């Protein structure tokens, strides 16, 4: 492996020793609880709703009028 990835065998041995010594930490779950995940999801859905409202608002309040010279202007609906 050292030759394949051009690393020192000493470095690979050290990494292996460190991993074996700390392998428990690599597989422990430190993620959110189900309650925290639910709160975060709810907040994100609320934000999505607010952003959708911001996007929809201009299309409702402003229309586009085409003139016969292929020019357009914005006008209130």
């Amino acid at each position: 492996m050292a030759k394949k990835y051009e690393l020192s065998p000493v470095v690979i041995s050290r990494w292996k020793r460190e991993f074996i010594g700390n392998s428990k930490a690599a597989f422990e779950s430190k993620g959110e609880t189900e309650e925290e995940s639910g709160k975060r999801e709810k907040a994100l859905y609320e934000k999505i709703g607010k952003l959708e409202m911001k996007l929809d608002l201009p299309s409702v309040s402003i229309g586009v009028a085409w003139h016969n010279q292929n020019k357009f202007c914005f006008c209130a609906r």
Side-chain angles (χ1 to χ4, degrees):
M1 194 176 352
K3 188 182 246 184
K4 181 179 179 180
Y5 295 104
E6 299 176 5
L7 293 168
S8 166
V10 175
V11 171
I12 293 175
S13 295
R14 185 171 12 124
W15 287 349
K16 180 181 176 182
R17 194 171 42 253
E18 286 178 17
F19 176 76
I20 290 171
N22 299 315
S23 61
K24 182 180 178 186
F27 297 103
E28 287 179 342
S29 175
K30 295 181 182 175
E32 299 175 328
T33 65
E34 194 171 322
E35 184 180 336
E36 291 171 334
S37 178
K39 287 180 183 178
R40 185 169 162 265
E41 185 177 347
K42 182 179 177 186
L44 290 172
Y45 277 116
E46 287 176 8
K47 188 169 188 171
I48 289 170
K50 289 177 185 176
L51 292 172
E52 285 179 344
M53 290 295 291
K54 284 184 181 180
L55 288 174
D56 288 343
L57 186 60
S59 65
V60 170
S61 60
I62 298 174
V64 178
W66 290 93
H67 293 284
N68 57 1
Q69 297 174 348
N70 292 329
K71 296 180 182 176
F72 63 91
C73 67
F74 293 102
C75 56
R77 286 187 184 176

